[in-house]
Amino acid sequence: MGEDITARRKDAHLDLCATGDVEPGQNSTLLECVRLVHCAMPEMAVEDVDLRTPFLGKTLRAPLLVTGMTGGTERAGAVNRDLAMLAERHGLAFGVGSQRAMAEDASRAASYQVRQVAPTVALLGNIGLYQAVRLGVDGARRLVEAIGADGLALHLNAGQELTQPEGDRDFRDGYRVVEALVRAFGDRLLVKETGCGIGPDVARRLADLGVRNLDVSGLGGTSWVRVEQLRASGVQAQLGAEFSAWGIPTAAALATVRRAVGPDVRLVASGGIRTGLEAAKVLALGADLAGMALPLFRAQQAGGYEGAEAALGVILAGLRQALVLTGSRSCAELRQRPRVVTGELKDWLAAL
């Protein structure tokens, strides 16, 4: 029964993300408060841009992670294979969605299997922190090994769980499990939020435990609280409406976490990244990679693999153009270029 509930929930999530109102209009990444400074004479050609980035022991051709979104059903498997094949072809990193369905029912493992179409992609498995509490280190390791992943994304989603009718309500022992997973996976562990953001205090404590990869996954994109609100009724739906704007905006989470953890922690910035220019902005603010899922998923749903590839082409072209127009040959150079921070983002940076 639990396995069927999980699978039905996964397909409902896909339906809502494909067409539903999962990005509340009042939410903002605050990337509109970041302005990159134009260089009128960049003294370079587009082909001089070098986007290569190390991640999980591999070298990406562009600093992009297709963030984990789905798995557990036949439809989810088709999405995973298309987007993993896209990441393989263009040298990006790729993450599967939560492997909870696979942990509950091994027959659903095929929906997470992408190595046949993406043999060399930098691949992340995925499990929720509070499922990991129950699975233990050995259970998490088995999930990673079963799909041939290079590492594990451990996702934090207390906001989503509290709105989800069948979600978790006990959030104890999280740091203890993180510490055990760090011992097991080392630099192959990524701890990520799911749209509510990681603040500097939590990031600093995770770094002190040895976490070397964080995805701040801030407010401004897909709200999984809103997704669960749209599935729920009664009290849960009311709470979902009240909290669908809850979280730390992506730009604020990224900038304050980078300041808190210093240069030794690799940061992914996801949560509302939709364009190449937005990817450039988060790289300028201190991200090592930009993460995105919804724009590629929607393009895949509308036009299959070819639609997703066309959407990615526009994103990559925009990223390269932003580097040229700031006179940056690499992401490292982009981080050294001047930028202007305005408006509400300045308030967040001062408060945190």
Side-chain angles (χ1 to χ4, degrees):
M1 180 65 71
E3 295 87 342
D4 291 340
I5 290 172
T6 300
R8 286 197 300 271
R9 183 169 67 243
K10 296 300 181 184
D11 274 345
H13 287 169
L14 290 179
D15 287 337
L16 291 167
C17 288
T19 60
D21 175 23
V22 297
E23 297 178 280
Q26 73 270 30
N27 294 359
S28 170
T29 62
L30 297 187
L31 288 172
E32 70 274 14
C33 299
V34 180
R35 301 297 296 269
L36 304 181
V37 177
H38 176 59
C39 176
M41 295 185 63
E43 288 290 329
M44 61 183 292
V46 173
E47 54 263 31
D48 294 330
V49 172
D50 183 356
L51 295 175
R52 287 178 296 178
T53 302
F55 187 60
L56 294 178
K58 299 182 176 182
T59 300
L60 310 182
R61 297 206 302 274
L64 297 178
L65 166 63
V66 182
T67 52
M69 189 174 127
T70 194
T73 68
E74 184 175 345
R75 178 185 176 191
V79 172
N80 278 336
R81 286 186 292 275
D82 273 358
L83 297 186
M85 186 164 55
L86 184 70
E88 172 82 14
R89 182 169 181 177
H90 292 273
L92 316 181
F94 176 78
V96 298
S98 171
Q99 291 175 266
R100 179 177 182 172
M102 174 180 166
E104 293 174 347
D105 180 357
S107 70
R108 301 191 186 279
S111 64
Y112 302 92
Q113 298 285 357
V114 299
R115 280 300 185 201
Q116 188 172 4
V117 297
T120 68
V121 78
L123 177 63
L124 281 165
N126 188 328
I127 195 66
L129 175 59
Y130 300 100
Q131 284 79 58
V133 169
R134 292 186 283 273
L135 285 171
V137 169
D138 289 342
R141 185 185 288 112
R142 284 193 294 271
L143 291 177
V144 169
E145 292 173 350
I147 64 169
D150 298 294
L152 175 68
L154 182 73
H155 70 259
L156 317 177
N157 66 337
Q160 178 185 10
E161 294 287 350
L162 287 170
T163 310
Q164 189 179 103
E166 61 273 52
D168 290 316
R169 300 293 186 269
D170 185 346
F171 305 111
R172 293 171 293 185
D173 291 330
Y175 286 111
R176 177 183 60 80
V177 171
V178 169
E179 188 173 17
L181 290 172
V182 168
R183 289 196 297 269
F185 289 94
D187 290 347
R188 297 187 302 124
L189 178 70
L190 172 102
V191 178
K192 68 185 301 292
E193 237 288 344
T194 51
C196 290
I198 293 176
D201 290 345
V202 170
R204 192 179 294 111
R205 186 167 177 184
L206 291 170
D208 288 345
L209 290 176
V211 174
R212 289 296 172 262
N213 302 284
L214 290 172
D215 180 350
V216 299
S217 190
L219 183 72
T222 302
S223 166
W224 288 98
V225 175
R226 171 61 64 85
V227 170
E228 298 301 348
Q229 173 202 340
L230 295 172
R231 292 181 58 242
S233 60
V235 172
Q236 299 310 127
Q238 293 176 54
L239 289 172
E242 184 175 350
F243 283 87
S244 62
W246 178 268
I248 307 168
T250 297
L254 170 62
T256 58
V257 166
R258 174 54 78 199
R259 189 167 59 191
V261 301
D264 295 332
V265 175
R266 184 165 297 277
L267 295 186
V268 180
S270 67
I273 312 303
R274 300 290 178 256
T275 68
L277 177 55
E278 290 175 338
K281 287 182 178 184
V282 297
L283 294 170
L285 284 175
D288 296 284
L289 285 83
M292 58 180 64
L294 191 68
L296 298 175
F297 166 67
R298 284 184 168 168
Q300 186 268 348
Q301 291 290 283
Y305 175 85
E306 293 77 12
E309 186 164 48
L312 177 62
V314 175
I315 291 165
L316 291 173
L319 176 57
R320 291 190 183 95
Q321 184 160 321
L323 264 71
V324 171
L325 292 178
T326 55
S328 308
R329 286 174 166 78
S330 67
C331 299
E333 287 190 10
L334 176 63
R335 280 190 282 274
Q336 301 306 313
R337 296 292 182 257
R339 56 189 176 272
V340 178
V341 174
T342 65
E344 187 180 345
L345 181 55
K346 291 179 68 175
D347 295 336
W348 275 93
L349 299 186
L352 294 183

